[in-house]
Amino acid sequence: MTSCVTRPPAIPASDFDTLPWGALALDINADNSEYTLKESMGEVLRKKIHEANAGDSTTALNILALSGGGSGGAYGAGLLNGWKDHGDIPQFDIVTSVSTGSIMSSFAFLGGDYIDQLDSIFRNLETSDLYVSSWLSLFNGATLNDPTPLKNLLRDGIDEQFLAEIAREHQKGRRLYMGTTNLDTGQLVVWDMGAIASSDRTDKLQRYRDIIYASSAVPIIFPPHFFNLDIDGNSYSQMHVDGGVYSNVFMIGLYVDWMSELQLTIKNDIKIKTNLYMIANRKYRERHAYDPMPLKFSPVFDAFITVETDLLFDRSVYRIYNSIQDRNIDFHIATIPQDANHIQSMMEFVPKEMRAIYGIAYDKASNGYPWKKEIRWNEYDLQGDKDQLNSNHH
């Protein structure tokens, strides 16, 4: 039966690096793209340098990176709401996200009352609100489930007014980025959501919704999303899935010498303080304890996914952490506590479980979240990694 299934035509090999509209060209020297990293992030940095040169104190550049984690997103939602109620959550200049982080990132980007909406979303969400089991989909869509409920939620929750708010903040020089994985190339694709919202294209609203869906589309659990492209008058497609397949959390442009690249200067007595806040909607090393597996599909599959995402998360976080050393960037990371075992499966959305993990994060953040500021990555030293992250680096 599966041999009869075909996908929309893929892009010719000669044009494999063609980007759909709204996706950033990450090569800072790219000159053939509607959206480029240099143009997008450069505007944020120019704004901050201008503010710094015009003032007489430290100027803050605040970055928020939201990870994947399925129903663990309730932790990030609780943290953001508690942080807001504590009264010291900053306005983020740059927000990046993948997977469940992409569902919450627009609200975190807008801030204020929009963060309150994460409460109702992540404390009441059920699995049936996102997908329904459909074994027939396995034969015609490479998935176990029908994602119509999630697509309906995106249609109802992301409207023209919402997009206008995103566009308004984008025009102020702030940036919202989401990541998907292009399975045809195996590469991370980063989308400038504010630029999309600011576009005069008639399909921008659907594109915004489609990117959130694609960024959350865990392979097998959800069907992939195909972004269409026209090349030389012919219609082709790219297959995109969950951005967490490539990187469980990301930040772009960290290796670029932006001052030199943008030919900017800053007064000697002025300082820009960069804060990177990383909210991981998961534990650090989820699968660290002895737990014999029954010979059943669901627990074995869950264990496999957990082990793979553990390693991917380690590498994703450490790549960022290592790249900011000696760059005057203050690192902060929050993860689900190791002793918080309320969520049984990250792919199942159970309100009782999610409310419990939401409450833990909210209580911590409303009293001043104890961010961790140092990590040590050792792929084979499980206990050492756990102890290191649980130590108090406040």
Side-chain angles (χ1 to χ4, degrees), residues 40 118 129-130 157 195 203 302 343 353 364 388:
S40 179
L118 294 174
D129 295 325
L130 300 176
D203 57 344
D302 283 348
I343 294 180
E353 297 177 0
K364 284 178 175 290
Q388 178 70 14

Side-chain angles (χ1 to χ4, degrees), residues 61 78 90 102 138 147 162 166 173 177 184 192 197 202 206 210 224 290 297 300 302 352 367 387:
L61 176 68
S102 292
L138 185 62
F162 191 89
I166 297 291
Y177 300 123
D184 292 335
D192 189 330
T202 58
Q206 190 59 48
D210 288 343
Y290 178 62
F297 173 80
V300 170
D302 283 348
K352 181 179 179 181
N367 289 294
D387 292 343

Side-chain angles (χ1 to χ4, degrees), residues 102-365:
S102 292
I103 293 176
M104 68 177 65
S105 62
S106 296
F107 302 93
F109 179 71
L110 292 177
D113 293 342
Y114 280 97
I115 292 179
D116 294 339
Q117 296 184 35
L118 294 174
D119 180 290
S120 60
I121 294 174
F122 280 92
R123 293 178 77 247
N124 299 306
L125 202 63
E126 298 187 45
T127 300
S128 59
D129 295 325
L130 300 176
Y131 60 84
V132 292
S133 297
S134 174
W135 282 97
L136 287 178
S137 297
L138 185 62
F139 301 110
N140 60 25
T143 179
L144 295 174
N145 304 296
D146 177 357
T148 298
L150 173 56
K151 292 187 176 183
N152 289 339
L153 282 177
L154 293 172
R155 181 198 62 208
D156 296 339
I158 307 296
D159 58 17
E160 293 283 358
Q161 180 58 39
F162 191 89
L163 225 60
E165 295 290 340
I166 297 291
R168 186 174 296 114
E169 296 306 311
H170 179 82
Q171 297 305 321
K172 294 177 182 178
R174 302 174 60 220
R175 293 294 178 266
L176 172 61
Y177 300 123
M178 295 185 190
T180 62
T181 302
N182 180 351
L183 279 189
D184 292 335
T185 64
Q187 296 298 309
L188 180 72
V189 174
V190 178
W191 305 81
D192 189 330
M193 305 303 286
I196 292 169
S198 302
S199 169
D200 57 3
R201 291 183 57 129
T202 58
D203 57 344
K204 64 183 180 182
L205 180 58
Q206 190 59 48
R207 176 55 52 103
Y208 199 99
R209 296 166 177 163
D210 288 343
I211 292 166
I212 296 177
Y213 169 77
S215 183
S216 309
V218 180
I220 306 302
I221 303 298
F222 291 105
H225 181 78
F226 292 98
F227 288 104
N228 296 325
L229 301 92
D230 290 325
I231 301 176
D232 297 330
N234 296 310
S235 181
Y236 300 102
S237 69
Q238 286 180 345
M239 183 188 290
H240 288 242
V241 297
D242 189 340
V245 170
Y246 183 92
S247 184
N248 199 258
V249 63
F250 76 94
M251 181 58 209
I252 51 178
L254 289 174
Y255 285 106
V256 177
D257 182 352
W258 287 105
M259 297 297 288
S260 174
E261 189 65 37
L262 299 174
Q263 298 181 341
L264 298 173
T265 57
I266 189 169
K267 294 179 180 177
N268 292 332
D269 58 339
I270 297 297
K271 179 182 179 182
I272 294 183
K273 177 179 174 58
T274 302
N275 300 297
L276 173 60
Y277 298 96
M278 185 181 296
I279 297 178
N281 298 298
R282 53 169 295 120
K283 293 182 180 181
Y284 184 81
R285 284 289 167 89
E286 175 86 16
R287 184 93 174 124
H288 68 278
Y290 178 62
D291 185 15
M293 287 289 102
L295 190 58
K296 296 181 179 179
F297 173 80
S298 183
V300 170
F301 182 73
D302 283 348
F304 161 70
I305 293 298
T306 300
V307 170
E308 291 304 302
T309 55
D310 272 350
L311 189 56
L312 177 61
F313 177 71
D314 284 358
R315 290 174 172 169
S316 300
V317 171
Y318 194 73
R319 184 185 300 118
I320 295 173
Y321 181 75
N322 186 57
S323 69
I324 66 175
Q325 301 306 301
D326 303 320
R327 288 178 179 266
N328 194 33
I329 298 177
D330 286 352
F331 179 82
H332 311 74
I333 186 171
T335 62
I336 296 177
Q338 289 291 347
D339 59 354
N341 298 313
H342 306 80
I343 294 180
Q344 300 304 305
S345 171
M346 291 296 189
M347 289 297 101
E348 294 294 331
F349 292 75
V350 181
K352 181 179 179 181
E353 297 177 0
M354 295 171 69
R355 287 171 186 166
I357 205 72
Y358 177 101
I360 291 173
Y362 180 88
D363 290 344
K364 284 178 175 290

